[in-house]
Amino acid sequence: MTAPAVVLVGPMGVGKSTVGELLAQRLGTAYRDTDADVEAAAGKPIAEIFFDEGEPHFRALERGAVRTAVAEHGGVLALGGGAVLDEGTRALLADLPVVYLSMDVEEAVRRVGLGAARPLLAVNPRRQWRELMDARRHLYEEVARAVVATDDRTPEEVAQAVLDALELKDA
Ligand code: S3P
């Protein structure tokens, strides 16, 4: 079994995929993303899975996608923002190099805005953001080996901070 070199967790819009791709380049490894795995398995976008089958169904698909990816991916892995809600997933992450990418609410609203692709923030994004983070912040912190704040930092700076936090070097 190979374990991921880096696992990124954190809320939607924080830049997990942008930073994850950069990290993968710098480490000379592959990037993988459980949202994309779920979409590929379901054959449709996440917003449609939420709409057609509901969030619990999406969470079940996500749980399976995380398990598979953790077991077979040795590169950089980004998890969907809500993956840490699952207790089994949190247990699975316990010994992995997990980094929590964080941002404050103003940055979140700037970055995510009213993006329809993110069904959980479709209505009143600022309030929903606060509620999501009140429910999840401690879960991100629980699974993470390091926390990297992304506010006012470029993706390159965030990637560097992740490498520093995990004491990893470029390939
Ligand atoms: C979600 C985050 C999304 C996606 C889905 C639900 C969440 O992933 O999995 O819309 O519950 O926070 P990203 O964090 O990659 O946007």
Side-chain angles (χ1 to χ4, degrees), residues 10-13 16-17 33 35 46-47 50 55 58-59 62 79-83 85 117-120 132 136 140:
M12 59 188 90
K16 287 167 293 187
S17 32
D33 168 340
D35 284 342
I46 288 171
F50 266 71
E55 182 171 345
F58 169 75
R59 295 296 172 204
E62 181 174 53
L79 305 190
L85 293 170
R118 294 208 162 85
L120 291 177
L132 274 185
R136 295 179 180 179
Y140 294 135

Side-chain angles (χ1 to χ4, degrees), residues 10-112:
M12 59 188 90
V14 77
K16 287 167 293 187
S17 32
T18 307
V19 170
E21 302 261 17
L22 283 172
L23 282 169
Q25 274 172 27
R26 296 215 23 202
L27 294 169
T29 184
Y31 171 73
R32 182 161 167 172
D33 168 340
T34 58
D35 284 342
D37 290 349
V38 167
E39 290 186 334
K44 55 182 165 183
I46 288 171
E48 266 178 55
I49 305 173
F50 266 71
F51 184 78
D52 294 344
E53 283 98 17
E55 182 171 345
H57 180 72
F58 169 75
R59 295 296 172 204
L61 295 178
E62 181 174 53
R63 191 178 307 128
V66 174
R67 260 159 200 59
T68 305
V70 164
E72 66 186 29
H73 184 65
V76 177
L77 179 66
L79 305 190
V84 297
L85 293 170
D86 184 73
E87 197 182 336
T89 293
R90 295 200 299 279
L92 199 67
L93 298 177
D95 293 319
L96 299 178
V98 180
V99 175
Y100 162 29
L101 299 185
S102 71
M103 65 179 162
D104 70 20
V105 64
E106 293 314 321
E107 186 88 17
V109 172
R110 261 198 307 279
R111 291 191 200 173
V112 183

Side-chain angles (χ1 to χ4, degrees), residues 119-139:
L120 291 177
L121 293 188
V123 183
N124 197 346
R126 193 178 305 259
R127 201 182 79 206
Q128 294 201 5
W129 174 266
R130 288 193 201 284
E131 286 177 6
L132 274 185
M133 287 309 293
D134 286 349
R136 295 179 180 179
R137 189 175 292 106
H138 69 287
L139 302 178

